[in-house]
Amino acid sequence: MKLSSRLNDVRGEGAFDVLVKARALEAQGRSIIHMEIGEPDFPTAKHIIEAGKRALDDGWTKYGPTQGDPELRDAIAEVVSKQRGIEVSPDNVVVTPGGKPILFFPILALLEPGDEALYPNPGFPIYESMIRFTGATPVPMPLVESRGFSLDLDQVRDKISDRTKLLILNSPQNPTGGVIPEEDIRAIAEMVRDRDLIVLADEVYSRIYFDEKPFSITQIDGMLEKTILLDGFSKTFSMTGWRMGYGVMPKFLLDAVCLLMVNCNSHTSSFSQRAGIEALRGPQDAVDEMVAEFARRRDVIVSGFNNIPGFSCASTGGAFYAFPNTSKTGIKSEDLESRVLNEAGVACLSGTSFGAYGEGYLRFSYATALGEIKEALERIDTMMRKILG
Ligand code: PLP
C-alpha cells in the first residue's frame, strides 16, 4: 500500500536519529556523552509534580474544554502579559499538548499551495517540514553568525512578497542559542505591519536567557493582533514529557486551531493542565536555578570550543545550545557529526539537521552536567588534534 504523497516532504528530527545511533554504540559497551537532545536535564520541580498527583487524586482524569482549562488560560494570560509588558486576554489563549501543535495547527490552518512562508535557517526543522506539508513554498531566512545569529534584514526585505502569508521568528533560538536584538525585531515589524501576513513568534525559550531579556514582537504596538505567540512548559519548567504548550493568537486563528484540535486530540491532558497552573503561579526558584546553571555551562562550553583546533564558537544569549563553526576543520558537518560520535563518543547534531544554512556548524545541547561537558570538550579536542595534527 502506498502512503499519500502528502507525506513526501514531511521530515522528522535529526536528534532522534542520532539518539538511536548513540544508543547502539552504548549497547556495544562504548561510553557516549549525550549532547544531541534538546531537553533540560533537570527534574520537574517537586511542587509541580505534587500538583499533578493531587489533580489525579481529585479526579482531573476526564475530558475537558478544547481551548484549555479556563483557570490555566487565566494563568497563562497573566504570565504572558506580565513577562512581556502586554495585555493578553485568556480568550486568545489556547493550550496544546506541547508547543509543537502551535506550529502544526496554525500552519495547517493558514497555508496552501501558492503561498510562501519565511522561516529561519538554520532553524527548528519542524518549520520547513510543516510548510512543505501544506504545499506552500518555504523561503529560508539565513541566520548570520557575525550578527549574533540574527537575520540579514536586507534579505528578509527582499524575500517578503505579496505571496508571503507567514513569517516565523524564533528567539532565543534553536539551534544557535542566538537572541534576535530588539532593533532587528522592530525593523521586521515595520516590514510586515501593512501586509496581509501573520507572524509566528516561537518563544518557547523565552525564560532561558543569560544577558539581555529577549524582546518579543508582540511588544510592538499593533503586532499582537497579527502574531501567533508560541510558548510552553517543556523547556521553562523542564516538563517535556507532560506535553504542555500554548499559543496566543487572534480569534479567527484560535477558532481554526480549536477546530483542528477537535478533529485530532480534543484537548490537552486534564491533570497536566492542573499542574501547569502550579508551574505558572507557584514558586519560580527552580526556573531561576536552572537558568543560572545553564549560564555557567554556556561560559565553559563556548570558551572550550574556542580552544579546539578547527572550531570557533560565538557566545550565545539563551536556550541551551552551542553552535560552533567547524568550517575550518575542512570536514562536512554530517561527516563531522558521525566522527565526533564514533571517534570521540560525543553525540551532537550536524548543523544541516536544521537546514542547508547549517552547513559548517555542529549543535551541542548543554543540557547535561558540567563534568560531562568538560569531558566531551576534552574528547573532541583530542580527536581534532589527531586529525589536524
Ligand atoms: N520550538 C522550538 C524552537 C523548539 O526547540 C521546540 C522543542 O525542541 C519546540 C518548539 C517544541 O516544544 P514542545 O516539546 O513543547 O513541543
Side-chain angles (χ1 to χ4, degrees):
M1 166 83 68
K2 202 173 150 293
L3 289 173
S4 153
S5 54
R6 205 180 290 126
L7 283 180
N8 288 351
D9 289 321
V10 178
R11 296 282 172 270
E13 273 193 71
F16 294 103
D17 302 336
V18 172
L19 181 64
V20 169
K21 289 185 205 160
R23 293 263 183 258
L25 289 173
E26 282 174 318
Q28 294 164 22
R30 290 281 309 275
S31 144
I32 304 293
I33 299 173
H34 289 275
M35 302 185 77
E36 73 277 42
I37 291 284
E39 163 167 83
D41 55 317
F42 300 88
T44 304
K46 262 218 152 58
H47 65 103
I48 302 175
I49 293 180
E50 289 308 321
K53 287 183 184 167
R54 256 194 327 273
L56 284 167
D57 285 338
D58 291 348
W60 292 92
T61 54
K62 304 284 190 190
Y63 286 136
T66 296
Q67 195 179 340
D69 182 312
E71 205 179 327
L72 177 59
R73 287 196 289 110
D74 283 347
I76 291 169
E78 268 163 36
V79 165
V80 169
S81 301
K82 188 160 170 240
Q83 192 183 338
R84 295 168 179 82
I86 57 179
E87 234 174 90
V88 164
S89 157
D91 295 342
N92 294 95
V93 174
V94 54
V95 184
T96 45
K100 269 182 179 169
I102 299 299
L103 300 171
F104 194 93
F105 293 130
I107 290 177
L108 207 53
L110 271 174
L111 298 181
E112 61 193 348
D115 294 335
E116 292 179 356
L118 270 62
Y119 69 103
N121 190 323
F124 190 45
I126 307 307
Y127 305 146
E128 183 177 339
S129 175
M130 274 308 300
I131 296 165
R132 286 192 190 281
F133 181 55
T134 65
T137 306
V139 180
M141 299 186 292
L143 300 179
V144 187
E145 184 185 351
S146 59
R147 304 199 72 241
F149 291 112
S150 186
L151 300 151
D152 176 332
L153 296 175
D154 291 332
Q155 277 208 39
V156 177
R157 199 172 287 109
D158 286 349
K159 288 183 176 199
I160 295 175
S161 79
D162 289 342
R163 289 158 58 156
T164 311
K165 208 157 170 194
L166 182 71
L167 185 148
I168 302 178
L169 292 175
N170 172 218
S171 178
Q173 286 161 2
N174 178 9
T176 68
V179 173
I180 305 180
E182 176 175 342
E183 65 264 28
D184 288 6
I185 292 184
R186 287 195 180 277
I188 290 167
E190 286 319 305
M191 292 177 208
V192 303
R193 181 182 291 287
D194 297 326
R195 287 186 172 269
D196 190 23
L197 71 77
I198 294 283
V199 174
L200 197 161
D202 182 344
E203 299 182 3
V204 80
Y205 298 99
S206 66
R207 296 272 300 272
I208 307 178
Y209 61 92
F210 314 127
D211 309 310
E212 219 152 281
K213 187 176 174 181
F215 184 76
S216 171
I217 197 160
T218 57
Q219 293 174 245
I220 300 171
D221 270 356
M223 287 309 295
L224 181 60
E225 293 72 16
K226 53 191 302 166
T227 300
I228 300 160
L229 173 64
L230 180 166
D231 204 337
F233 297 79
S234 300
K235 317 289 176 175
T236 303
F237 300 105
S238 210
M239 290 176 75
T240 45
W242 296 73
R243 305 314 297 137
M244 288 254 289
Y246 54 85
V248 178
M249 62 193 79
K251 185 81 170 60
F252 79 100
L253 269 168
L254 187 127
D255 290 343
V257 166
C258 288
L259 187 61
L260 290 169
M261 288 266 286
V262 169
N263 277 270
C264 178
N265 48 36
S266 297
H267 65 90
T268 307
S269 152
S270 301
F271 56 88
S272 288
Q273 292 191 72
R274 300 307 293 176
I277 298 169
E278 174 62 24
L280 292 173
R281 292 194 167 147
Q284 300 295 300
D285 324 20
V287 181
D288 297 338
E289 282 160 25
M290 177 181 77
V291 174
E293 177 59 21
F294 281 146
R296 272 191 288 279
R297 295 176 188 176
R298 186 262 320 242
D299 292 344
V300 169
I301 199 164
V302 167
S303 80
F305 278 130
N306 280 320
N307 285 319
I308 293 178
F311 281 55
S312 65
C313 190
S315 190
T316 70
F320 39 79
Y321 307 110
F323 202 59
N325 185 325
T326 56
S327 50
K328 292 222 169 75
T329 62
I331 305 171
K332 284 220 153 274
S333 296
E334 257 183 53
D335 297 338
L336 194 56
E337 169 198 288
S338 252
R339 292 188 70 170
V340 168
L341 176 63
N342 289 298
E343 295 170 34
V346 179
C348 67
L349 296 181
S350 163
T352 51
S353 302
F354 302 92
Y357 291 89
E359 180 56 50
Y361 297 88
L362 293 177
R363 189 197 80 169
F364 291 82
S365 159
Y366 47 86
T368 187
L370 205 47
E372 299 256 295
I373 292 170
K374 288 180 180 164
E375 167 76 20
L377 289 164
E378 269 175 41
R379 289 185 187 186
I380 299 167
D381 186 57
T382 307
M383 171 186 143
M384 289 313 303
R385 284 182 199 279
K386 257 193 227 149
I387 295 174
L388 297 178

